[in-house]
Amino acid sequence: MATYENADYVRTRATAVLLEMMEETDYREIRVSELVRRAQVSRSSFYRNFTDKDDVLRQHLRYLTDQWRESLEEGPEQDLSGSLIRHFYAHRDLCLLLHSSGLFWMVYDHIKEACGVNADTPSVLAYGKAAWAGAIFGWAEEWTARGMKEPPEKIKELSAQLASEGEPAQ
């Protein structure tokens, strides 16, 4: 990742403009040339910071995860699952946009990365971490597919009900 003087500006502008463009244009139709023109950054600056438009989204997801981790460090008494649910809900516009664009798979890849699943992870640990990543992704994807209509408190309540009673009554 670039660290030159205006790198933050380029990353911020490219991310904001890409998200705006995704609201009005099919993601597959978005071209880097149009993105940099609208973001008012040079193509070379873009490629100093990103490998492609997917990388813009990957870096944005990492940034949001870093924010979430920092909030956990500030208030370690929070429960992890409740904090994670609130974090997803705070960024529901992004979740819904990724889902409607057919890009929610990026969230799964990101969750696996955040859980530490990679080629160097010993098998038993990798499988365990992958199972957790899959569970987190599963509820996030279903919640997003349903429009994220329930607030975090309701999701937490439903999760607790499921954990204590099994399948909740309709």
Side-chain angles (χ1 to χ4, degrees), residues 116-118 121-131:
V117 180
N118 60 53
T121 308
S123 294
V124 68
L125 199 53
Y127 297 142
K129 288 180 175 189

Side-chain angles (χ1 to χ4, degrees), residues 5-18:
E5 189 174 315
N6 71 343
D8 286 340
Y9 173 80
V10 172
R11 286 191 290 267
T12 301
R13 286 294 301 148
T15 302
V17 169
L18 178 59

Side-chain angles (χ1 to χ4, degrees), residues 11 24 60 96 104 110-112 123 141 146 162 164:
R11 286 191 290 267
E24 60 195 41
H60 187 56
L96 293 167
F104 210 70
H110 179 68
I111 291 170
K112 281 179 53 180
S123 294
E141 197 281 328
R146 293 172 180 249
L162 183 60
S164 67

